[in-house]
Amino acid sequence: LPSQAALGCRAAQVLMQYCILANHYWFLVEAVYLYKLLIGAVFSEKNYYRLYLYLGWGTPVVFVVPWVAAKYLKENAEVRIMARVGVLGYVCPCPISPSQINLLIFMRILKVILAKLRANQKGYADYKLRLAKATLTLIPLFGIHEVVFIFATDEQTTGILRYVKVFFTLFLNSFQGFLVAVLYCFANKEVKSEMKKKWQLWKLDH
């Protein structure tokens, strides 16, 4: 490739890896935030807001910069979109830690929800259904679907399993933001009430 085209491809690959990591770490921010709300905290949200920003946007830089340096020094022969097997291939594209932490928080939150539903079992006769609903709702918010294929790399999956992995990974990652917006924003009673007010005001004005 011409030098300018190769530079553009490398910049696009670095940006892609940063966005992938930022996506995973914002999963972690969402999990920590919800866990703090459910478990209770002594500190105000104002004390944590800057920390959330650093965790979501700053932490990926800590992994991307060494990965870029390693790629530049050791694998700078050509642009590679798919990670190779080896240390350099997994420094950046495989963020195991956020997914594992999210899984632990996910299990802890489900335990808290189950305990609260059981405590109010008389008021919630369908507490098992509510627990299942909460579980399915939290999966896209925490990115738990990432854990399913986290150890199934492209080199280890072949045939139909590889197609299944690619389909679910692309589908869930592509619609994760949409699912979170629908479940936690547009389905919220307060949000729907405000949208209804805005719609009524718009109709009166027109």
Side-chain angles (χ1 to χ4, degrees):
L1 291 174
S3 59
Q4 291 182 346
L7 182 62
C9 288
R10 288 183 172 91
Q13 187 179 3
V14 171
L15 180 62
M16 181 188 71
Q17 299 296 352
Y18 174 80
C19 291
I20 290 173
L21 281 176
N23 186 50
H24 282 81
Y25 277 97
W26 275 106
F27 283 154
L28 180 59
V29 170
E30 292 165 351
V32 171
Y33 177 74
L34 184 58
Y35 181 80
K36 193 169 92 57
L37 287 179
L38 286 175
I39 304 303
V42 294
F43 301 105
S44 65
E45 181 58 32
K46 185 177 179 180
N47 296 330
Y48 283 93
Y49 181 72
R50 194 180 297 271
L51 180 62
Y52 291 151
L53 291 178
Y54 288 147
L55 180 60
W57 295 119
T59 308
V61 178
V62 177
F63 295 97
V64 171
V65 170
W67 178 79
V68 171
K71 281 284 188 181
Y72 180 77
L73 295 174
K74 300 296 183 180
E75 291 186 357
N76 198 30
E78 60 183 275
V79 179
R80 295 183 182 273
I81 300 300
M82 302 302 294
R84 280 173 33 179
V85 177
V87 177
L88 294 181
Y90 289 105
V91 169
C92 181
C94 188
I96 297 177
S97 297
S99 299
Q100 289 179 337
I101 296 172
N102 271 10
L103 182 61
L104 294 175
I105 296 176
F106 175 73
M107 295 171 66
R108 173 63 176 160
I109 287 177
L110 286 184
K111 185 178 179 180
V112 172
I113 293 174
L114 179 60
K116 290 184 177 182
L117 289 175
R118 281 181 174 174
N120 298 301
Q121 191 170 353
K122 293 182 179 179
Y124 301 115
D126 58 340
Y127 79 95
K128 291 183 179 179
L129 182 62
R130 288 174 176 266
L131 179 64
K133 183 180 178 181
T135 303
L136 293 175
T137 305
L138 290 175
I139 286 175
L141 180 68
F142 287 6
I144 300 300
H145 57 275
E146 294 285 346
V147 180
V148 177
F149 294 110
I150 197 168
F151 296 110
T153 62
D154 290 328
E155 291 77 15
Q156 294 172 334
T157 54
T158 57
I160 297 177
L161 181 60
R162 184 167 185 172
Y163 288 116
V164 170
K165 177 204 167 186
V166 170
F167 173 78
F168 277 102
T169 301
L170 292 178
F171 179 83
L172 292 172
N173 284 345
S174 299
F175 288 96
Q176 187 269 341
F178 175 74
L179 289 173
V180 170
V182 170
L183 294 172
Y184 290 91
C185 180
F186 299 116
N188 184 280
K189 292 181 180 180
E190 294 179 2
V191 173
K192 288 193 292 185
S193 176
E194 289 298 321
M195 291 178 66
K196 188 176 180 181
K197 290 179 183 178
K198 293 290 184 182
W199 173 249
Q200 290 174 347
L201 289 174
W202 184 85
K203 287 196 299 183
L204 289 173
D205 291 338
H206 293 77

